[in-house]
Amino acid sequence: MTTVGIDAVEIWTGKLKLDLPETFAPAQGDDPEKYTKGLGLEASSFPDTYEDIVTMGANAAKRLMDRKGLVPDDIGRIDVATESAFDNSKPVSTYVAGCLEQVYDGDFHHANKGERKFACVSGTQSIDDAYNWIAAGRSRGRAALVIATDTALYARDSSGEATQGAGAVAMLIDEEPDLVALSHEQGYGSADETDFLKPQQQFPSVDGKRSMQVYLARMREALQDFEGQDTTHPDDFAYVPFHTPFPGMVRKAGLLGYRRIVRNTDLESEIAEEIGRQPREEAYEDREAYEEAIQTHMDELKQTDQYRSWYDATIEPTLSISRQVGNWYTGSVHVARVSALQAAAEAGRGLSGERLLVASYGSGAQAEIHAETVQDGWKEEIEALTIDEQLRRRYDLDFEEYEHVHDAHNHDLDTEIEAFTQPSGEFVHAGWGRMNERTYEYVE
Ligand code: COA
């Protein structure tokens, strides 16, 4: 079988920015370092008044289609992954296709469209679906468009408010990809959990601390499942992009992952000379004593040169965009992949043939881990991105403006405010149709 993977990627950030240490922290009466050092965040992206999950997704997709010289007939499948959908029946992908049909000759009438839901892991699941569709020989030579788009807004004054974000990632899944090839091997960790949910409501109900525990537990389970199928030596992977609700979460997941993947390796013996071997449960009388020993070991492991240099090389570069945008839910792990590849391009590093270990997670809850192999065209793809410029051009909200923007996007309020930025060469939410559907138009 030919290789299948991500051929191209495009990112669209919401056009507004909330500076967390400068603007949000003082208004909340918080120490700015809770955000910069604790959570690892500098800013959140927000949608302007004319932006939503459809415009951001369609704008990312258009940029991708233009850059790759694609027309609608080249696309056999459009899947949108989101946890911010505003309709329980009509999928967001139909709206996105409707937008794109305004600007391209031809249409997507023979493309299979859908919407994937499983909290933040559904972007990865949509890639999987596309992979399977192509690998099964059902694509008729066409590619799949996968769009992960979210407005990750939380209720005002809730703990999650610090980690908000908005943006879209569009990815083209195809044979002989330019960016990364996907592997067959996958590890899953999945269980019925109630850590984060939206039972028919716009803003999530979140048990924040528990959601962090569930993230780690499911990730551990997925890694265990993956280990049965593939190698996981720390030196096997150039980068490990994680689902990044906020970088502080990845700091915890990275340490836990490292502890596991160094087991029974040359590195474990090296580290053991410094801090002793990892505690093994069977050596302890009860669970509590074992957990205490693990905690001590983790605190020491975090300080070792081996761990620090692995973290700095493999994890830290995945976090740079996330620090500036906050949580994009379904798009977040895909933003982490791009951050890493951008860092490699900037450092002039040759990456073709190297592997990434990609760790996705969705509350509710499921983690999925798979490996990817970087392809020869990766650098050209990554250098074509305009995300840095987009981030620089965001409108910097003051706190009062932020409050208005939050209200304007609250489905239960009827708040009209002027846009902060001027749309140009993009799709915008233009109004409402006769059946209360959202309508969109392209602004030249
Ligand atoms: N300087 C440095 N660090 C500071 C600090 C300061 N002044 N103040 C707080 N911190 C650290 C805390 O120690 C903590 O780090 P730790 O977890 O390593 O101990 C971190 O900053 C966050 O502070 P905390 O008080 O725990 O924040 P919080 O109670 O407001 O909630 C979340 C944090 C993540 C629970 C909350 O933002 C949330 O609910 N987010 C949405 C859910 C989510 O994203 N879950 C993740 C899994 S998907």
Side-chain angles (χ1 to χ4, degrees):
M1 196 186 99
T2 59
T3 51
V4 177
I6 305 175
D7 189 47
V9 61
E10 275 292 344
I11 305 185
W12 186 278
T13 178
K15 291 166 110 181
L16 308 179
K17 164 187 164 184
L18 176 65
D19 190 308
L20 293 168
E22 291 288 325
T23 309
F24 189 67
Q28 299 296 105
D30 286 335
D31 180 349
E33 293 201 339
K34 170 180 170 179
Y35 298 88
T36 52
K37 295 224 166 99
L39 297 169
L41 290 167
E42 295 291 336
S44 307
S45 279
F46 285 91
D48 206 335
T49 53
Y50 55 84
E51 293 187 292
D52 66 10
I53 50 171
V54 172
T55 65
M56 295 188 297
N59 286 322
K62 178 173 183 300
R63 207 191 273 281
L64 186 149
M65 287 183 63
D66 287 348
R67 185 158 65 71
K68 299 299 273 188
L70 299 172
V71 294
D73 276 350
D74 297 321
I75 307 292
R77 185 178 175 104
I78 306 178
D79 280 316
V80 170
T82 185
E83 46 188 305
S84 323
F86 46 76
D87 192 311
N88 285 329
S89 176
K90 184 173 154 60
V92 172
S93 51
T94 59
Y95 286 97
V96 169
C99 285
L100 296 172
E101 284 170 354
Q102 292 181 34
V103 296
Y104 291 108
D105 289 336
D107 58 53
F108 296 95
H109 287 202
H110 302 301
N112 187 5
K113 305 180 191 87
E115 192 169 298
R116 250 297 189 171
K117 178 175 71 184
F118 197 146
C120 306
V121 77
S122 63
T124 298
Q125 290 181 316
S126 300
I127 293 177
D128 237 28
D129 292 342
Y131 175 93
N132 293 338
W133 170 70
I134 295 170
R138 305 177 90 179
S139 64
R140 290 183 256 150
R142 297 172 300 167
L145 194 52
V146 167
I147 299 165
T149 180
D150 271 297
T151 47
L153 297 186
Y154 289 79
R156 293 293 317 282
D157 297 321
S158 68
S159 69
E161 197 181 1
T163 64
Q164 300 177 109
V169 181
M171 290 166 282
L172 192 73
I173 314 304
D174 205 354
E175 292 181 64
E176 308 291 344
D178 281 341
L179 196 64
V180 291
L182 296 160
S183 67
H184 284 292
E185 295 75 22
Q186 291 174 298
Y188 287 100
S190 188
D192 177 11
E193 300 273 11
T194 43
D195 52 331
F196 172 114
L197 49 154
K198 294 184 178 182
Q200 306 296 331
Q201 64 197 44
Q202 184 188 4
F203 302 131
S205 299
V206 194
D207 183 341
K209 301 286 181 208
R210 177 152 170 69
S211 76
M212 295 170 71
Q213 292 311 318
V214 174
Y215 177 118
L216 296 176
R218 302 285 75 84
M219 212 49 108
R220 186 189 301 120
E221 216 169 45
L223 186 55
Q224 193 178 6
D225 193 29
F226 183 77
E227 280 166 351
Q229 306 165 61
D230 206 338
T231 58
T232 54
H233 190 285
D235 297 344
D236 288 348
F237 301 99
Y239 297 106
V240 183
F242 276 94
H243 166 55
T244 313
F246 53 94
M249 183 73 240
V250 175
R251 220 162 37 217
K252 294 180 199 296
L255 182 62
L256 191 106
Y258 186 78
R259 176 167 72 86
R260 196 166 171 106
I261 62 179
V262 291
R263 272 192 204 166
N264 306 320
T265 67
D266 47 332
L267 280 165
E268 188 182 28
S269 316
E270 236 181 72
I271 293 167
E273 281 177 27
E274 236 179 281
I275 62 167
R277 292 191 82 76
Q278 291 191 25
R280 301 295 202 259
E281 192 164 1
E282 47 290 3
Y284 291 82
E285 266 180 26
D286 54 41
R287 182 90 198 159
E288 206 180 318
Y290 168 65
E291 279 175 6
E292 209 173 294
I294 285 284
Q295 194 50 55
T296 307
H297 182 81
M298 298 275 270
D299 290 344
E300 289 171 356
L301 179 63
K302 201 164 32 178
Q303 307 303 333
T304 61
D305 289 345
Q306 289 86 346
Y307 174 69
R308 292 172 81 95
S309 58
W310 178 80
Y311 182 88
D312 287 348
T314 312
I315 306 278
E316 185 61 32
T318 69
L319 304 175
S320 52
I321 300 176
S322 167
R323 286 189 200 293
Q324 301 302 325
V325 302
N327 193 356
W328 286 10
Y329 288 162
T330 54
S332 145
V333 66
H334 308 293
V335 163
R337 180 197 293 105
V338 166
S339 285
L341 297 179
Q342 258 192 334
E346 278 160 22
R349 179 172 174 180
L351 216 55
S352 298
E354 292 211 46
R355 299 215 302 161
L356 313 178
L357 189 65
V358 180
S360 306
Y361 172 74
S363 291
Q366 182 162 302
E368 189 264 10
I369 291 182
H370 68 265
E372 298 176 356
T373 307
V374 179
Q375 301 296 290
D376 289 345
W378 73 276
K379 199 162 180 224
E380 203 180 315
E381 286 302 315
I382 290 300
E383 286 178 345
L385 292 176
T386 60
I387 183 63
D388 292 340
E389 191 197 333
Q390 289 183 49
L391 293 178
R392 269 196 303 276
R393 288 174 58 180
R394 285 178 299 177
Y395 177 90
D396 193 0
L397 296 164
D398 66 27
F399 192 74
E400 206 181 323
E401 290 168 335
Y402 158 66
E403 291 185 297
H404 291 319
V405 168
H406 200 287
D407 285 352
H409 287 290
N410 184 335
H411 298 168
D412 293 333
L413 301 178
D414 198 11
T415 309
E416 291 278 330
I417 55 167
E418 290 289 311
F420 295 90
T421 60
Q422 188 67 36
S424 162
E426 66 196 272
F427 297 103
V428 298
H429 175 209
W432 303 89
R434 72 185 168 91
M435 290 175 76
N436 205 26
E437 76 277 20
R438 290 175 184 229
T439 58
Y440 297 92
E441 63 189 37
Y442 187 74
V443 175
E444 290 295 341

